[in-house]
Amino acid sequence: MSNRHYEQLITARWIITVEDDGVILDNHTLALNDGKIMAILSPAECAAVSADSHVHLDKHVLMPGLVNLHGHSAMTLLRGMADDKALMDWLQNHIWPAEGKHVSDGFVFDGALLAMGEMFRSGTTTINDMYFHHAAMARAGLAAGMRTFVGCSILEFPTAYAQNADDYISKALAERSQFRGEALVDFTLAPHAPYTVSDDTFRKVVTLAEQEDMLIHCHIHETQDEVNSSLEQYQQRPLARLQQLGLLSPRLIAAHMVHLTDDEIAMVAKHGVSIAHNPTSNMKLASGIAPVQKLLAAGVNVGIGTDGAASNNKLDMLSETRMGALLAKVGTLDPTAVPAATAIRMATLHGARALGIADKVGSIKVGKQADLIAVNLAEIETSPNFDPISHIVYAAGHEQVSHVWVNGRAVLQERRLTTLDEDDLKARADDWRVRILAKQG
């Protein structure tokens, strides 16, 4: 090993690999070549190698980048616009009308860039998105350097983007074709929800997903009203309907899944469905508390998402991970539910597994891509430090995220964005605020 030379070394006071719960490496070093983790070196081993650059993080935790398993990035431009409303009131009377007036290629591109800047600054390296104007979202991901899953929304009713379900699907496939071969961009089919998508369209989505080898991303069982409406319209609960239509499979990422029976949990586990848990959005919209502890106990893969900034109102995955752990405890009245190490696993490896990229990211392991974040624990808010894993979940704030790498490329250094211009992002956001206010009257 004495002759080994690497492009980059990163040495940290603590490394949380997420390969094994509770394991922390002290003063170890990651060796990187071509954006990939080539070795994990002890202090003695590190002394025997050389590198083009060496980052020393003497007060930091180094860990996998966070995977935001459910978001609507462009909706960052609608942040705070219609707060303290019930979900359907929020959607039908405020958000959908606003989107009808404003959503465009430029809106999605600018909103996505703003969201990605915010997500980088809170430790997110992968976003699983769902919205319109998919090429704009993909371009934003490439411009920012974020690992981006572009969810192609599918509905039955017309919007400014498409006229009907077939039109949404046609545009999704056309825009997807423009980005084939991009390492950081992939596309998913995103039928919006059981209450906005017909049986025929769901069948088309299932067939297309198999033909094109695509994931499916859908809001399911978010509110009790959704379940009740399905019982009235279809005489069955949404999950039972979707199971009959063939939607339940390892391809499916089901967002929210708040209102579930024990039989439905068993059904989800049997079919290998992954779930995107959105604790803050569920609390803010009073949707309820998802049975995360039961889902995990049944072997269901549960990741964490922020939802959109219009319903959260921030895209802070560190905060979301904390909320996920705390909400599970109060929801079960069990303080041992979702311990800190499990919460970190949900926010990293579980999300990667849901997206089919656990062989590339989600943990720190030789051979995986270097999607990494560093969190400075030498702050008043995280002192004294008895347990770095506990501090990441229960004490650290997004402002302590100092460095972020995607594929080994630094996108945040000492809290400064390197691929995006912060002043430009704020100027774009303010320009949209002025435009939106003008049209809203």
Side-chain angles (χ1 to χ4, degrees):
M1 185 170 288
S2 59
N3 296 324
R4 294 304 303 269
H5 181 85
Y6 298 99
E7 292 176 1
Q8 187 173 9
L9 299 177
I10 306 173
T11 299
R13 176 63 183 85
W14 303 277
I15 296 179
I16 300 173
T17 68
V18 190
E19 279 294 298
D20 297 295
D21 282 356
V23 173
I24 300 173
L25 304 178
D26 290 325
N27 295 305
H28 276 56
T29 298
L30 300 188
L32 312 182
N33 280 343
D34 296 323
K36 185 175 290 187
I37 300 170
M38 306 303 295
I40 302 175
L41 308 172
S42 68
E45 292 170 326
C46 183
V49 303
S50 60
D52 296 334
S53 66
H54 194 162
V55 178
H56 294 271
L57 303 168
D58 300 332
K59 303 172 183 177
H60 300 67
V61 161
L62 188 66
M63 60 181 284
L66 304 175
V67 178
N68 187 345
L69 197 53
H70 178 62
H72 309 284
S73 295
M75 293 180 77
T76 309
L77 293 177
L78 303 177
R79 190 196 325 256
M81 190 174 162
D83 285 334
D84 306 321
K85 306 269 190 291
L87 175 62
M88 295 315 297
D89 176 26
W90 178 78
L91 275 176
Q92 294 175 346
N93 300 320
H94 302 276
I95 296 302
W96 285 343
E99 288 178 330
K101 294 178 181 178
H102 305 293
V103 172
S104 63
D105 183 275
F107 178 97
V108 172
F109 184 74
D110 289 350
L113 286 183
L114 180 66
M116 289 172 183
E118 179 181 357
M119 287 191 282
F120 280 152
R121 283 163 54 94
S122 51
T124 293
T125 54
T126 298
I127 174 63
N128 182 39
D129 207 70
M130 178 193 290
Y131 211 58
F132 310 105
H133 295 280
H134 320 305
M137 181 67 192
R139 293 198 315 272
L142 292 174
M146 175 165 279
R147 198 174 296 278
T148 304
F149 284 76
V150 182
C152 303
S153 291
I154 301 166
L155 306 105
E156 300 298 335
F157 55 83
T159 64
Y161 178 68
Q163 292 304 302
N164 53 45
D166 287 341
D167 195 18
Y168 287 104
I169 291 171
S170 176
K171 288 186 174 181
L173 295 178
E175 293 184 82
R176 175 180 180 242
S177 68
Q178 300 173 33
F179 297 90
R180 287 189 184 275
E182 292 287 356
L184 292 181
V185 173
D186 205 348
F187 279 62
T188 73
L189 296 170
H192 174 260
Y195 56 88
T196 54
V197 177
S198 70
D199 286 3
D200 284 345
T201 297
F202 272 127
R203 291 190 188 97
K204 290 177 183 177
V205 166
V206 170
T207 299
L208 189 59
E210 292 174 353
Q211 291 174 344
E212 298 291 328
D213 191 20
M214 297 175 74
L215 297 173
I216 301 171
H217 181 190
C218 184
H219 302 92
I220 305 173
H221 279 233
E222 184 172 0
T223 66
Q224 188 61 51
D225 283 346
E226 175 194 335
V227 176
N228 294 341
S229 295
S230 180
L231 287 168
E232 182 177 338
Q233 183 175 358
Y234 297 100
Q235 291 74 55
Q236 58 186 165
R237 291 164 67 88
L239 261 181
R241 174 182 162 225
L242 297 180
Q243 192 273 333
Q244 290 179 359
L245 295 170
L247 205 76
L248 305 192
S249 79
R251 293 187 186 279
L252 177 61
I253 299 170
H256 298 288
M257 295 287 272
V258 175
H259 299 277
L260 298 172
T261 65
D262 289 347
D263 286 344
E264 286 168 339
I265 291 172
M267 182 192 303
V268 167
K270 175 184 175 182
H271 289 280
V273 174
S274 288
I275 292 177
H277 177 41
N278 303 273
T280 299
S281 175
N282 292 344
M283 286 189 284
K284 185 167 183 284
L285 293 170
S287 298
I289 301 175
V292 170
Q293 185 72 348
K294 284 186 175 183
L295 288 161
L296 292 172
V300 177
N301 184 56
V302 182
I304 296 177
T306 60
D307 211 347
S311 63
N312 185 305
N313 291 14
K314 55 184 180 177
L315 307 179
D316 181 352
M317 273 292 290
L318 265 187
S319 173
E320 211 66 36
T321 303
R322 179 175 186 265
M323 289 297 179
L326 296 180
L327 195 58
K329 299 176 194 305
V330 75
T332 59
L333 300 181
D334 177 4
T336 69
V338 186
T342 300
I344 290 176
R345 181 176 285 264
M346 290 168 63
T348 54
L349 191 56
H350 284 200
R353 189 175 295 146
L355 294 168
I357 54 173
D359 60 326
K360 297 178 182 178
V361 300
S363 64
I364 294 177
K365 183 180 180 180
V366 171
K368 287 196 174 187
Q369 299 301 122
D371 284 19
L372 308 165
I373 65 172
V375 184
N376 183 358
L377 296 187
E379 301 291 347
I380 290 175
E381 292 82 0
T382 45
S383 298
N385 181 4
F386 296 106
D387 182 353
I389 291 175
S390 170
H391 271 7
I392 289 295
V393 177
Y394 298 124
H398 70 271
E399 64 279 358
Q400 290 170 255
V401 176
S402 61
H403 297 71
V404 176
W405 295 264
V406 179
N407 259 3
R409 178 191 187 189
V411 294
L412 185 76
Q413 290 181 318
E414 299 291 353
R415 296 293 298 157
R416 295 191 306 275
L417 295 169
T418 64
T419 59
L420 297 169
D421 184 315
E422 294 182 29
D423 290 337
D424 177 63
L425 295 180
K426 288 183 280 190
R428 290 173 188 248
D430 196 55
D431 179 59
W432 278 106
R433 180 188 65 85
V434 171
R435 283 197 255 178
I436 289 169
L437 285 175
K439 280 196 176 183
Q440 297 296 105

